[in-house]
Amino acid sequence: MDKAEKQELISSLQDAFNASGSVVVAHYSGLTVAKMEDLRVQMKQAGGQVKVAKNRLAKLALENADIADFGEFLTGPTVLTYAADPITAAKISAKFAKANDKFVILGGAMGETKLDSTQVAALAELPSLDELRAKLAGLVKQPATNIAAILNAPGGQIARVISAYSTKGEEAA
């Protein structure tokens, strides 16, 4: 890799770090190509990316990035997972680590906060942004549904009373 290619890789990593909500660093030594491809597919479907880069180049990219310095985790064979949604990278990485013993989460960063492996695991337990939006929409919708039911109830009760009287009147005749 020549100097221009290295500079381009550093620049692309820097852009990825700046655009991501969180970055997770993990060791992947011993994983098969098929397993790594499975991780890439899962991450891409969730809106994230997986990158294997030289640790030295990743550390250089961290120097001018607007993210916490997680350079201490960049030792040995490391893989970076990142996504715009702060929860996605942690959630997919943690799920993948549970299924694959050779994928070991070391830590990462979320904005200006450096995360260790336990914090990444805790982040993975949180609901995603889409799940939170759905819950919020459900909470907002529920009172409106209750109000509509209350407003419709008196009309329904009157209709049932009239129906009962008309049925009673037919039986008497």
Side-chain angles (χ1 to χ4, degrees):
M1 189 182 282
D2 67 356
K3 191 171 184 174
E5 289 175 323
K6 287 179 183 178
Q7 192 58 41
E8 185 179 324
L9 180 62
I10 290 170
S11 177
S12 71
L13 276 174
Q14 205 170 44
D15 292 342
F17 292 158
N18 289 336
S20 66
S22 66
V23 178
V24 176
V25 182
H27 276 164
Y28 68 98
S29 182
L31 278 179
T32 64
V33 173
K35 293 286 186 186
M36 282 298 289
E37 187 60 29
D38 184 39
L39 174 63
R40 288 180 197 279
V41 168
Q42 288 179 30
M43 193 63 73
K44 187 171 185 173
Q45 287 174 345
Q49 289 188 325
V50 175
K51 185 80 169 173
V52 176
K54 288 189 174 276
N55 293 334
R56 187 173 48 82
L57 298 178
K59 286 178 183 178
L60 288 172
L62 273 174
E63 288 178 1
N64 296 320
D66 296 331
I67 194 166
D69 185 8
F70 55 87
E72 70 184 64
F73 302 124
L74 296 172
T75 58
T78 56
V79 62
L80 304 168
T81 60
Y82 51 90
D85 180 13
I87 307 297
T88 300
K91 189 171 285 239
I92 300 295
S93 296
K95 180 180 161 191
F96 189 78
K98 284 180 185 175
N100 299 285
D101 294 338
K102 295 182 180 186
F103 187 81
V104 180
I105 296 174
L106 303 174
M110 184 175 71
E112 294 294 321
T113 306
K114 184 167 63 170
L115 306 170
D116 62 13
S117 60
T118 57
Q119 291 170 319
V120 171
L123 186 62
E125 297 299 319
L126 295 174
S128 71
L129 192 55
D130 289 337
E131 291 170 340
L132 287 174
R133 285 180 181 148
K135 286 181 182 180
L136 186 59
L139 290 173
V140 169
K141 179 183 167 195
Q142 190 61 36
T145 304
N146 290 344
I147 290 171
I150 289 169
L151 292 176
N152 288 334
Q157 288 174 349
I158 291 171
R160 284 189 288 279
V161 168
I162 292 172
S163 174
Y165 275 119
S166 69
T167 306
K168 189 176 182 182
E170 289 173 7
E171 290 175 4

